Amino acid sequence: MKRYISSITAMLLTAILSIGCSNLLDQEPQGEWIDGDQKAGSYEADIFTIYGKLRGYNLTAGLPPLAIHGFRSEDAEKGSTASDGAEQARMFDDFEYVATNGMISSYYTANYEVIHLTNTVIDKIKNANQSSLTDGDKINKAEAHFFRAFAYFNLVRAFGEVPLIDFAVKNAEEANKPKAKISDIYKLIDTDLTIAEEFLPKNWASVYIGRLTWGTARALHAKTYLMRNDWQNTYTAASDIINSGIYNLNTAYNQIFREEGENNSGSIFEIQCTANATHPGSNEVGSQFAQVQGVRGAGEWNLGWGWHTPTQLLADAFEAEDPRKNETLLYFTKTGENQNDIPANSPYNEKPIANAAVVNKYYNKKAYTNPSLRAQYTKSGFWYNIRLIRYADVVLMAAESANELGNSGQAVIYLEQIRARARAGNNSILPEITTTNQVELRNAIRHERRVELGMEFDRFYDLVRWGVAQEVLHAAGKTNYQPKHEYLPLPQKEVDRSNGVLIQNPNY
């Protein structure tokens, strides 16, 4: 757990995540980079700028990414009150897509900001004296390639074909490009992640917690292959991570999303956030991730905006007594209701009280903060880390791809690892899955992804790549969904300003 009141910790995290900070590579990283003192990268200030962008409201922490990744599935909805952001419920819950929607514009722009920054770094290094590049420079370049792949993966999943800009933009006109084929976008992603895998270290000293590693790049690469249903490459990438021995499932599920579980042994890509006494509610070192999903109450229970909330369908998806249910759903009572009517499952034995007008039945417990830290800093939870890729996801990717490749025996082994951690020694629940029938095992793995990764970032995209989005969403009452809704419309203002170069997605 982070020491929030430590000025040393605050300085280190600020150095990692802020713009224009001092050398981060002075100390030799651990893993592949162990053959002598490494000089700091000359491009570190540019890289620190991008690390800072990761905590951005429009990229990972706020309503635009939560709406795009979360609301569109059957397991999450807007939440809050019916009138608060009703147009966003129509847009993302009900699939009444509008090309002028501000959230898609903000998300699109935030990802291209990262892309432009990474292109600048890559261009600087490309035009430098290659013989003078240090190992630190090569790490900086690898980080830039990872961030570009990350941003393009966000864009290609959300919008499909988008402009492919893989060069440093000197003037705005150069960036006015037509849409590229999805295959070409993935080709760049593959190239970028291959470079990142080659030069990023496998481990860092603990003082550099949160820095990109080989495992981060390899895991993201596995996710990009999975999205393409490229089973062999998914299995190879996921197996590489599993066989590395760097990560494990030893952290109890009820600790993963608590502050003491930050950067645990199963954390592969986690955005670092903190709070300090001077600016307890500041985005300088924190994010709004917990705030936008916090309990929408009053007084001591005014913890946030109450958006991105679990549905009853997700609640019903958990098997009997699955402990993950009470670590995913945050139960609450409304103002004036009897608190004895809700389970005391909240961490620290709290029973939140929400605004009586909220439409949701649950809040996202995977964004719930420690009351002692709320009392010390702010109710908004700016210190709460954002878990983007977990080792459990990698193990489930290995299970799914193994099964699709006909290796059901190995798939069963990986599936059981996830269920064994979840049951936490209670053998009366979550029985072991033993079937080797490919269809039955496929359904079991898909179920496990749903409950293990509930309220995280992939359910809608899982439905799309499985080819069942329309079937599942219609059954859930989201009958407006049609195949065209796999992709969002491009932001209309980007189409308009292109003077005919950028063509809107079909049927919008």
Side-chain angles (χ1 to χ4, degrees):
M1 183 174 175
K2 291 185 294 240
R3 293 183 298 161
Y4 296 90
I5 61 174
S6 167
S7 60
I8 295 176
T9 300
M11 286 190 295
L12 287 171
L13 285 169
T14 301
I16 292 173
L17 298 171
S18 300
I19 299 173
C21 302
S22 59
N23 291 347
L24 192 62
L25 296 175
D26 286 345
Q27 181 170 326
E28 177 183 344
Q30 306 298 306
E32 294 179 343
W33 301 91
I34 57 175
D35 55 349
D37 293 336
Q38 309 299 334
K39 295 182 179 180
S42 304
Y43 309 95
E44 58 185 4
D46 297 316
I47 293 299
F48 296 159
T49 299
I50 305 171
Y51 272 103
K53 291 282 185 185
L54 283 189
R55 291 174 288 115
Y57 178 88
N58 293 319
L59 189 66
T60 61
L63 296 182
L66 292 174
I68 290 169
H69 290 264
F71 298 179
R72 294 191 290 167
S73 82
E74 82 281 32
D75 287 347
E77 58 190 352
K78 174 185 71 70
S80 186
T81 63
S83 60
D84 182 28
E87 72 282 5
Q88 306 303 346
R90 291 191 294 271
M91 172 81 181
F92 297 100
D93 280 329
D94 300 333
F95 296 98
E96 296 179 7
Y97 286 173
V98 178
T100 56
N101 180 272
M103 285 195 187
I104 62 172
S105 179
S106 297
Y107 186 74
Y108 184 95
T109 300
N111 280 285
Y112 271 108
E113 285 177 354
V114 170
I115 289 166
H116 291 315
L117 289 169
T118 59
N119 284 336
T120 298
V121 177
I122 293 168
D123 184 69
K124 286 181 180 179
I125 297 175
K126 177 182 177 181
N127 291 314
N129 182 343
Q130 299 300 296
S131 63
S132 67
L133 294 180
T134 66
D135 287 335
D137 296 330
K138 294 174 183 177
I139 292 175
N140 292 158
K141 184 173 182 290
E143 289 170 306
H145 280 285
F146 174 91
F147 289 133
R148 186 168 69 181
F150 173 73
Y152 265 120
F153 187 48
N154 286 339
L155 291 170
V156 76
R157 288 202 295 179
F159 299 99
E161 295 181 344
V162 293
L164 189 61
I165 302 171
D166 60 354
F167 55 89
V169 175
K170 307 300 182 183
N171 59 71
E173 185 58 32
E174 293 177 338
N176 189 17
K177 304 281 288 184
K179 294 189 293 187
K181 294 179 180 179
I182 290 175
S183 59
D184 288 337
I185 296 169
Y186 273 115
K187 183 177 180 180
L188 179 64
I189 289 171
D190 288 335
T191 299
D192 281 341
L193 291 176
T194 298
I195 293 170
E197 290 160 7
E198 180 179 359
F199 291 103
L200 288 173
K202 289 189 174 178
N203 294 287
W204 289 91
S206 59
V207 71
Y208 304 122
I209 200 162
R211 286 297 295 264
L212 299 177
T213 64
W214 165 85
T216 315
R218 198 69 177 130
L220 181 61
H221 215 162
K223 289 179 75 68
T224 72
Y225 288 132
L226 187 75
M227 192 65 203
R228 291 172 272 179
N229 293 329
D230 181 341
W231 303 120
Q232 185 58 63
N233 277 316
T234 300
Y235 184 74
T236 299
S239 297
D240 286 346
I241 297 167
I242 293 169
N243 294 335
S244 74
I246 297 171
Y247 310 98
N248 60 58
L249 297 170
N250 294 343
T251 303
Y253 198 88
N254 65 3
Q255 295 297 313
I256 295 171
F257 296 97
R258 306 280 64 82
E259 283 90 346
E260 60 266 29
E262 291 177 346
N263 302 302
N264 63 73
S265 61
S267 175
I268 295 180
F269 187 19
E270 185 167 325
I271 297 176
Q272 308 298 300
C273 304
T274 192
N276 60 54
T278 304
H279 301 291
S282 170
N283 282 342
E284 293 177 9
V285 291
S287 83
Q288 292 178 259
F289 183 77
Q291 180 186 47
V292 300
Q293 299 176 82
V295 175
R296 187 183 178 98
E300 67 173 304
W301 293 115
N302 178 20
L303 304 184
W305 304 353
W307 287 55
H308 189 231
T309 58
T311 65
Q312 187 61 43
L313 288 170
L314 175 59
D316 294 341
F318 290 92
E319 295 166 66
E321 299 185 67
D322 186 340
R324 292 171 296 189
K325 180 176 182 178
N326 287 347
E327 294 304 321
T328 303
L329 309 179
L330 179 63
Y331 303 95
F332 66 92
T333 185
K334 294 183 179 180
T335 305
E337 293 179 346
N338 187 344
Q339 280 196 300
N340 293 327
D341 293 339
I342 65 170
N345 81 313
S346 303
Y348 330 108
N349 295 316
E350 292 187 304
K351 294 183 178 181
I353 302 174
N355 185 321
V358 298
V359 297
N360 49 290
K361 294 186 65 174
Y362 312 98
Y363 287 105
N364 181 10
K365 192 173 175 182
K366 291 181 177 180
Y368 194 61
T369 55
N370 187 314
S372 65
L373 295 174
R374 296 199 301 262
Q376 185 174 2
Y377 294 106
T378 171
K379 295 176 184 176
S380 299
F382 285 80
W383 58 83
Y384 193 84
N385 280 9
I386 306 171
R387 287 78 162 166
L388 288 184
I389 305 179
R390 299 194 287 116
Y391 180 61
D393 189 1
V394 172
V395 175
L396 287 170
M397 286 192 277
E400 183 175 353
S401 55
N403 186 54
E404 297 301 328
L405 291 169
N407 189 356
S408 59
Q410 187 62 60
V412 166
I413 291 172
Y414 287 140
L415 179 59
E416 171 57 19
Q417 290 176 6
I418 299 298
R419 291 174 68 82
R421 193 264 294 274
R423 74 173 70 96
N426 182 359
N427 292 328
S428 67
I429 62 173
L430 301 177
E432 184 174 352
I433 304 297
T434 59
T435 181
T436 56
N437 177 279
Q438 188 182 52
V439 174
E440 293 176 354
L441 189 52
R442 177 185 296 136
N443 290 332
I445 293 168
R446 290 181 178 183
H447 164 79
E448 207 66 27
R449 281 190 66 82
R450 185 182 188 185
V451 295
E452 172 72 25
L453 306 174
M455 297 305 294
E456 296 183 46
F457 302 99
D458 290 315
R459 176 62 179 175
F460 175 78
Y461 294 123
D462 280 347
L463 297 178
V464 168
R465 67 181 179 82
W466 291 332
V468 300
Q470 183 166 321
E471 173 190 349
V472 171
L473 294 172
H474 282 204
K478 295 191 173 190
T479 55
N480 285 341
Y481 181 87
Q482 300 299 322
K484 72 171 186 176
H485 294 119
E486 171 184 350
Y487 297 122
L488 296 162
L490 295 174
Q492 191 59 43
K493 70 176 185 179
E494 301 295 336
V495 174
D496 293 342
R497 70 173 46 149
S498 75
N499 294 317
V501 173
L502 185 62
I503 305 301
Q504 181 57 271
N505 280 341
N507 303 312
Y508 294 115

